[in-house]
Every structure is written in structure tokens, then in C-alpha cells.
Amino acid sequence: MANIIQDLVPVGAKNRPGNALTPKFITVHNTGNSTKGANAAGHAAFIKSPGAGSTSWHFTVDDLQIIQHIPTNENAWHAGDGLNGPGNRTSIGVEICENSDGNLAQAETNAIDLIIDLMKEHAIPLSNVVPHKHWTGKLCPHLILPRWDAFIASIAKRQQERIQAEKLAVVPDWARESVKKLMDKDVLTEPAGDATFYRLVVILDRLKLIAS
Ligand SMILES: [Zn+2]
């Protein structure tokens, strides 16, 4: 997945409240800014400027990079539900860029990988990945809301792909494609085995006995 660059809002800034956060939710936003150059770097500059006021969030994701602005053990003010609202005090805020000179699909893919990493790190269930709308009714993330269920489904699918890829890492290169076919067909869930097993799987595959 894309590297995370830390470019934190300075301690003491108006939009770095510093309350302790134990993340229970992940809140997904769109930036609402389709201007060229309104990418992660642009938002990293904005969030450190006076123009940001008291607004903040944890991560901005574009098609090329992920920038972190606030540590995940501190709250940010992104959910619009008040200083002590559950959105602001229990969730990590992820902004997905929509700059017209970027690739929106790739930005969403990068965000999905980040969300999966955050879910794993903080033991957050997929049911607690929510749109900004969940907290206040605001139409955000406006580009994703019309297909929110599909977005959640693609997180679940990507999660399975990553689990499968981790398991397949133990399989020798020469057998991996054949073993993957068995896993894709749910014939095999644990691919660990010895050389004889892998040879047999490859032979079955070469005999076209494993449908792809
Ligand atoms: Zn939002």
C-alpha cells in the first residue's frame, strides 16, 4: 500500500485539540474540493494554515500518497457533531481527495488499504466504518454515498485478497498460480504444504483438472 507520510499539525494549534482518542470508528469523507492541485499535499498545507480554523482530520488520501495530520491517539474535529460528539471523540477521520487532476478510483483504492490497516491496528469492525453522514446527516462523502454499500463490499473483498496474498507468500513461486486457483475455488484455505503437495497441485493444473 501507499506509504504514510507524517506531516503533523503542530501541538498547540487551534485544530489540534489533543484529547485522548481510543478509535472505535473510522469516518470517511470526501474533501468536496475538485480544484486542480487540491490533493493530499494541498490539504496538508491547508490544515496547517489559519484558514483551517478549528477543523482537522487524521489522514488525507489521494491517488499518489497518504498524509497523516493528527496522531490516531488524539481526536480531530471532522465529524461536525460538536466538541464532545461521538464522531469527533471516537473516530479517525479519513479525507479522500477529488481533485480533478487526480485519479479518483486510485485515491479510493489507497483509502481502502489505509482503512484496512487502521481496522487491524485498532480492532475496528467493518460495521464501524461509517460515512460522515452517519454522525450529522451531512451529504459526505458525496461521491461515495450513492454507492456506499458497494464501497464497504470492496473493503471486505480487498481484505480477503490481502489475507489470501499473505497466505500464498509461503508457496514457492512455481506453484503459486496453481495453488491460488484452488483457494479461489474454496477447495483449499490453508496453502502451506510440502514440495510433493505443490508438485501434485501443479500437475493437476497442467492436466487442466483445475478450472480457472
Ligand atoms: Zn465530511
Side-chain angles (χ1 to χ4, degrees), residues 33-45 62 97-102:
N33 186 346
S34 60
T35 310
K36 284 183 184 176
N39 53 16
H43 281 84
D62 68 17
C97 291
E98 55 188 273
N99 48 303
S100 58
D101 54 346

Side-chain angles (χ1 to χ4, degrees), residues 28-34 95-100 102-105 107-108 131 138-151:
V28 178
H29 305 264
N30 276 131
T31 60
N33 186 346
S34 60
E95 287 278 358
I96 303 175
C97 291
E98 55 188 273
N99 48 303
S100 58
N103 178 331
L104 180 67
E108 283 185 13
K138 183 179 174 180
L139 287 178
C140 178
H142 71 116
L143 297 173
I144 300 175
L145 279 178
R147 51 185 165 84
W148 180 258
D149 290 348
F151 181 74

Side-chain angles (χ1 to χ4, degrees), residues 149-170:
D149 290 348
F151 181 74
I152 291 296
S154 54
I155 296 175
K157 180 167 179 272
R158 178 75 181 131
Q159 230 175 352
Q160 288 310 311
E161 285 170 3
R162 283 175 53 169
I163 290 167
Q164 191 197 60
E166 274 170 36
K167 287 182 175 178
L168 279 167
V170 305

